[in-house]
Amino acid sequence: MRARTRTGFVMGLNQPELFAPTLQTAPALYVEVAVPLPLRNGLSYAVPVGMEKHVAPGVRVVVPVSGQRVVGYVLSVSKTLPDEVDPSKVRPIFHLLEAEPVFAEDLLKFLREAADYYLHPIGEVLRSAAPAVERRRHDGEDPRGSGLVKASLKARWAKVREETFVALTPEYLAEKPRLRGDRQAQVAAILEARGEVSMAELRQQVKGARSAVESLKARGAVALTLREIPDDPFFGAPVPRDVPPTLTKAQDDAVTAIVGAVTRHERQTFMLHGVTGSGKTEVYLHAIESAQKAGRGALLLLPEIALTPQLVARYRARFGDNLAVMHSGLKDQDRHAMWKKLHRGECHVVIGARSAVFAPVRDLGLIVVDEEHDGSFKQDDHFRYHGRDLALLRAHRAGVPCVLGSATPSVESYHAALEGRYQLLQLPDRPTAALLPSVEIVDLKRVGPRGPTGHELLSLPMVRAIDATLKRKEQAILFLNRRGFAPTVRCVRCDEAMECPSCSVALVLHRREGALRCHYCDFKVPFANACIKCGCVEIQLLGVGTEKLERALIDSFPSARIGRLDRDVASGMGTEAVLEKLRTGELDVLVGTQMVTKGHDMPRVTLVGVITADAALAFPDFRSAERTFQLLAQVAGRAGRRDLPGHVVIQSFQPDHPVLQRAKAHDFEGFFDDEIGARRELGYPPFGRLAALKLDGPEEEKLQEMARRIDSFLRALPDVVSGKVKVLGPAPSPIERLRGRWRMQSLLRCPERPPLRRVLLQMVDEMEAFTRDGIRVAIDVDPVQML
């Protein structure tokens, strides 16, 4: 973070202050203003005469910063200046942008506390939390320019818009002629998986999609249709109001506890642990309804991957359409309109992903975090916050209950419940007659990975299970968390895998588009069955991806309708289109990555196959066992959710691994007992606090030298010398090079938070000395991903 004074002059931006007016009289008020610069605190400014009545915390102002006009947010108003500020250097603010605060006082306090906890510049935190239109103006556009102001005033809840949709023709599907170029092949692959896709989405997924579609249309391969669609896909067709089902005893007990806390406006955290399909959503619906009856707002957070129209429809059926759904597909204008609607108190229920924790819900009465264990709640760049942890903080500061729900709670949350810090609520059974699915683990060392079809990783037990499911006219989901055709392409002559030139990872073959692709930086190069370095045609395709698995299933079960769901064929709202084909019976088998594991309720899915359970266990991360158990339990939970019995087949070369055995028995408590013992012995959370220092730079040697300098600095600090804080590293990151930048990291571990925080604050104070030669240093408090 840049060194600075508290008066609007930032070292490194030392231009003359061209715009700053002078004060004619001594100011009666001063303000602290957060600006979008890497500064931990705000800057001090004077309030000109006549503006005193309108300045309040949370309003936006235009201020001078080293000769530039900058939009900032008022953090506080005072009659005096901080002791360290020289009154003669204090400049006045230019003007207000509006009289009404963007952030209410309680939300602003919460955001300041979040910035302080994660040691992130307050201006950047407010920028992350601001509605989209305000954020764009915050980034330097003329705040008095008419374009954005008019746009923000015109933002409305649009009902419909026209969109061009593209679909493959029956003639193409019958003949499937060879296509020209990887772009046409990529478009065709997406359309074949989805059936119909909007031109707008194709342009987001495929570079040059429009010209590719025009070429395909000229060949008679695609047809275009202009159609009106809802502006927000979550509010398309009307949803009839539902009749709440009769609660089970366990559901009723959970609802009684939560509703009691909501009614009493009580600060309380609940850990709702329920097996997959146990009716946690119904508990959430009753809890939110109780908040509404009390005249208070509610906030529901869930992973972006689980935020589907099917799920939102359940809430619309109960509460109507006066909901705010905050998702990544919203346009800036719609996001801004939604923010204003919430800010004015016209809507009281918010459903959204991680960033919805910042939503300006008026009179907040309840926060719910579904799938609280999910790693996507942690943002891994810029403002590295954890949505679940901030939800707990916001609920605590508002004095309202917070519900954490999961079939596989995080080790930290479940430990807190057992320690009595959270109230544990259990849903041990499914509310219908459906039982948890039976689980079979296939020992690939004994039976071999190639079954009767001869295809890699389709063992005999897996093939038999799929065949039996198809004969019963039921459906199957096969899970493989690797997209593409072959994860590794090796040249025999070079004796090495083909790697991305910008990242230290292998290029993945995507056969349908005829290209090798990097899944981290999206580098792509055409592939013609020859080495991209030496041209040798002796190529080995190693490993299996979802595209290859889909091809194997088509070859093995020619009469079955096979679909695929991964980021190559669907993203955002496109995911729902693929799932709808499974839900309506247009698909018999769906192959997918982690996108198939979250919260989907498919009545006729009775078989779930896990192609390989070993990859997740091999990750260089102390949480790998926990993630593997959670993933297996979640994907297994898609089977047999209604009247038909479910079955799960897990293939592994380590069939006796404790994690797999616990997953087979649906034994979360047993897994937790195993894992908590290992965490206690090693001092990892919940028995210790962690922070990571993540460095990256363009030159490897300079990065290594800076890492050594930082390490020497850290090891000389009193809390490290005394042994209170342990420093592990520095070491190259598991992915050593990413997007052309070399990466290293150090891990700081401490049994308690205060010594660790002292070390991090000392690091922040010296940050400018460590960010030279293009090197960036990020502090990640409570890291989740170690890659």
Side-chain angles (χ1 to χ4, degrees), residues 449-499:
R450 296 180 187 271
T453 66
H455 286 287
E456 189 176 357
L457 290 183
L458 280 180
S459 67
L460 176 60
M462 184 69 76
V463 171
R464 285 176 173 171
I466 297 170
D467 186 56
T469 302
L470 295 174
K471 287 178 178 177
R472 296 193 303 267
K473 306 298 183 183
E474 295 167 3
Q475 296 171 308
I477 290 176
L478 298 186
F479 169 69
L480 176 62
N481 214 19
R482 291 178 181 169
R483 57 192 175 101
F485 190 87
T488 302
V489 180
R490 180 179 174 272
C491 173
V492 174
R493 180 188 296 171
C494 297
D495 193 27
E496 61 182 26
M498 300 182 196
E499 286 198 348

Side-chain angles (χ1 to χ4, degrees), residues 220-254:
V222 300
L224 275 60
T225 305
L226 187 65
R227 193 164 64 246
E228 286 189 340
I229 63 169
D231 198 59
D232 189 332
F234 287 99
F235 295 90
V239 175
R241 300 300 285 264
D242 71 347
V243 177
T246 301
L247 299 177
T248 65
K249 176 64 165 59
Q251 285 177 314
D252 188 60
D253 290 345

Side-chain angles (χ1 to χ4, degrees), residues 169 171-173 175-181 184-185 188 211-223:
T169 60
E171 293 77 12
Y172 171 84
L173 290 171
E175 300 176 8
K176 291 190 178 179
R178 184 175 180 82
L179 299 176
R180 302 167 187 165
Q184 290 186 29
S211 61
V213 167
E214 289 174 354
S215 299
L216 289 169
K217 182 183 178 185
R219 299 181 62 186
V222 300

Side-chain angles (χ1 to χ4, degrees), residues 172-215:
Y172 171 84
L173 290 171
E175 300 176 8
K176 291 190 178 179
R178 184 175 180 82
L179 299 176
R180 302 167 187 165
D182 60 330
R183 291 177 183 173
Q184 290 186 29
Q186 192 175 356
V187 168
I190 293 171
L191 295 177
E192 190 170 351
R194 300 264 299 279
E196 186 179 61
V197 180
S198 71
M199 178 67 79
E201 185 177 345
L202 284 175
R203 292 175 67 184
Q204 289 180 343
Q205 291 192 252
V206 182
K207 187 176 181 181
R210 183 176 292 279
S211 61
V213 167
E214 289 174 354
S215 299

Side-chain angles (χ1 to χ4, degrees), residues 6-7 21-33 43-64 73-82 85 87 89-98:
R6 293 288 302 273
T7 59
T22 58
L23 290 167
Q24 302 300 319
T25 59
L29 290 177
Y30 299 93
V31 290
E32 182 185 7
V33 178
L43 303 176
S44 294
Y45 292 92
V47 179
V49 175
M51 203 182 290
E52 298 95 333
K53 294 182 180 180
H54 306 289
V55 173
V59 301
R60 293 185 307 142
V61 294
V62 179
V63 295
Y73 293 88
V74 173
L75 297 176
S76 62
V77 182
S78 175
K79 294 182 178 181
T80 59
L81 285 169
V85 174
K89 295 183 178 180
V90 173
R91 314 304 297 172
I93 60 177
F94 283 112
H95 56 82
L96 298 173
L97 288 181
E98 63 270 302

